[in-house]
Amino acid sequence: MSDFLLEAKGVSKFYGANAALNNFNISIPRGKLVGLLGPNGSGKSTFIKLCNGLLQPSSGGIMIDGNPIGVETKKVVSYLPERTYLDNAMSPAEYITYFSDFYEDFVPKKAYDMLANLRINPAQKLKTMSKGTKEKVQLILVMSRNAKLYLLDEPIGGVDPAARDYILNTIISNYNPEATVIISTHLITDIEPVLDEAIFIKEGQLVLYMPVDEIRQREGKSVDALFREVFRC
Amino acid sequence: MAWDFESDRPIYTQLLEKIQLMIISGKFKPGDRLPSVRDLSSEAAVNPNTMQRALQELERQGLVYSQRTSGRMVTQDTELIKSVKEKVAINHVKSFLETMNELGFEQQEIQGIITLLSDMGDE
């Protein structure tokens, strides 16, 4: 078993002549909460989509838990997309059954507990729920798997600050030393205390990958402040 | 409610100071069992690994100790707690004196202000 849960080597992804990712290299260990930080269009979502096989790299390769992206890695990767794909005609309870069929590592009890904590009725159809509530349901489904890698693409972008706190709390209380959570966002201040490490990505290339406290120690400023400096427009 | 952190220093250092403060101020009493890493990090809204490191450092300092089955406890060594408390107090006074010196106050003037304030407090 590799020391690293995720290894990307020389990964490039071109859309026509535009490089969304350009020779991107990174090795991420197990048991970390990692922030994937970069301005709009820096390649965050492209990287996440490459990691779960929704996109194929133009060159280079990614290994997760020792396997190339494919059926084996999909078993251990839980992905929260930027936009929810849930069907309005279904209820959380129906989705829980559906996810249990789909994923061996899905734990229905976890999902029902989180729904109860958020006072979401499992029988209510999604179409009668607010946008924020739907996002919460989606996150609950994603976090109810015992995955090795969670890829959360902008999980806190569209929800109110109170729900944001709950989401971060869900991530903290689900913490498992064997699993890694990668969170892409540009709301850095909110998630900074929760992160082990921060990745800065700019124009498809790795700018920095470092423990958060090392950044604060070395720079004497927060990750948010450093981000503003590195990505000054 | 998440704990507040200053933005220019490592979170680890600040966690260490906050838990230390809870112990020396008696919020956690000698012999008390500390909440689990998970509960503490959830309350503070911080990374569990960072919380774990802070608690390990407190263990190294002797303020808390691990019990195999029942988690982490606050030390019953009240002398140690007292000495840490004094150190923290001295650091506060030092930084107060530095600020006053920057403002241009001399030792005697500072003492004058302190006496004045504590006299007012007595009334």
Side-chain angles (χ1 to χ4, degrees):
Chain A
M1 197 161 70
S2 166
D3 288 345
F4 294 107
L5 179 62
L6 185 154
E7 289 186 278
K9 288 199 177 123
V11 176
S12 298
K13 177 70 185 174
F14 291 94
Y15 294 108
N18 291 331
L21 275 185
N22 197 349
N23 194 22
F24 190 81
N25 295 289
I26 202 159
S27 300
I28 300 175
R30 292 160 210 279
K32 301 285 180 191
L33 303 179
V34 184
L36 178 61
L37 314 174
N40 306 73
S42 53
K44 301 189 295 286
S45 290
T46 301
F47 178 65
I48 285 183
K49 284 175 183 165
L50 286 166
C51 289
N52 59 39
L54 289 178
L55 293 173
Q56 295 299 318
S58 310
S59 61
I62 299 173
M63 303 279 275
I64 292 172
D65 203 26
N67 291 307
I69 306 301
V71 176
E72 287 308 311
T73 65
K74 286 183 186 185
K75 284 183 192 166
V76 299
V77 174
S78 190
Y79 167 53
L80 181 82
E82 231 174 330
R83 285 180 203 83
T84 149
Y85 52 77
L86 300 177
D87 183 345
N88 271 327
M90 305 237 313
S91 67
E94 287 169 318
Y95 263 114
I96 289 171
T97 313
Y98 187 71
F99 267 62
S100 310
D101 284 345
F102 238 99
Y103 300 109
E104 281 171 27
D105 61 1
F106 190 82
V107 185
K109 186 182 179 302
K110 243 181 173 176
Y112 278 112
D113 286 350
M114 282 193 260
L115 286 171
N117 285 338
L118 280 173
R119 295 186 187 82
I120 298 173
N121 176 1
Q124 191 184 343
K125 297 287 184 207
L126 287 161
K127 68 173 161 233
T128 63
M129 291 179 180
S130 73
K131 181 170 173 277
T133 307
K134 272 187 234 174
E135 287 187 11
K136 288 178 206 166
V137 172
Q138 176 87 63
L139 183 82
I140 287 171
L141 292 169
V142 168
M143 295 309 293
S144 297
R145 287 182 58 195
N146 281 329
K148 289 187 179 163
L149 178 62
Y150 299 86
L151 297 169
L152 312 179
D153 199 353
E154 291 285 355
I156 56 175
V159 296
D160 63 82
R164 209 169 282 173
D165 286 349
Y166 178 82
I167 288 170
L168 292 177
N169 214 287
T170 305
I171 293 169
I172 295 170
S173 51
N174 274 298
Y175 173 77
N176 157 7
E178 294 301 306
T180 283
V181 183
I182 298 178
I183 307 169
S184 111
T185 186
H186 37 244
L187 297 169
I188 303 172
T189 312
D190 285 335
I191 64 159
E192 190 168 336
V194 172
L195 300 179
D196 283 291
E197 303 173 333
I199 298 169
F200 278 17
I201 174 172
K202 185 181 190 177
E203 290 161 12
Q205 287 184 311
L206 185 70
V207 177
L208 165 155
Y209 174 39
M210 215 188 266
V212 165
D213 268 351
E214 205 176 312
I215 293 176
R216 286 171 160 249
Q217 181 88 55
R218 195 181 287 188
E219 306 283 336
K221 58 173 78 110
S222 65
V223 175
D224 184 64
L226 182 66
F227 183 94
R228 285 163 200 260
E229 208 176 281
V230 171
F231 296 107
R232 178 165 291 141
C233 299
Chain B
M1 194 51 221
W3 301 358
D4 281 328
F5 298 98
E6 293 161 26
S7 63
D8 55 350
R9 296 191 300 136
I11 291 161
Y12 159 77
T13 322
Q14 299 183 56
L15 278 180
L16 195 63
E17 291 167 357
K18 282 178 199 285
I19 302 168
Q20 204 177 51
L21 185 67
M22 290 176 188
I23 293 171
I24 60 181
S25 68
K27 191 185 169 211
F28 293 133
K29 297 193 169 46
D32 271 3
R33 176 142 57 103
L34 289 180
S36 68
V37 173
R38 194 179 292 253
D39 288 348
L40 272 176
S41 51
S42 173
E43 187 196 316
V46 297
N47 185 289
N49 291 320
T50 313
M51 183 59 82
Q52 174 77 3
R53 270 174 60 214
L55 290 171
Q56 278 166 349
E57 175 57 22
L58 287 173
E59 224 169 85
R60 207 192 55 79
Q61 295 175 357
L63 275 180
V64 306
Y65 63 98
S66 279
Q67 269 196 338
R68 210 168 266 278
T69 48
S70 47
R72 279 197 179 79
M73 326 285 277
V74 177
T75 180
Q76 289 171 342
D77 182 348
T78 47
E79 283 305 308
L80 176 68
I81 295 176
K82 202 176 141 202
S83 87
V84 173
K85 191 170 181 167
E86 279 165 4
K87 265 184 219 155
V88 172
I90 287 169
N91 283 337
H92 274 293
V93 174
K94 270 188 188 160
S95 82
F96 161 72
L97 288 177
E98 269 168 34
T99 314
M100 292 303 273
N101 285 331
E102 275 171 32
L103 287 173
F105 284 96
E106 302 289 338
Q107 191 72 22
Q108 234 172 351
E109 295 172 284
I110 299 172
Q111 243 140 24
I113 295 172
I114 294 174
T115 314
L116 186 70
L117 282 177
S118 42
D119 286 352
M120 283 165 65
D122 286 343
E123 280 166 19

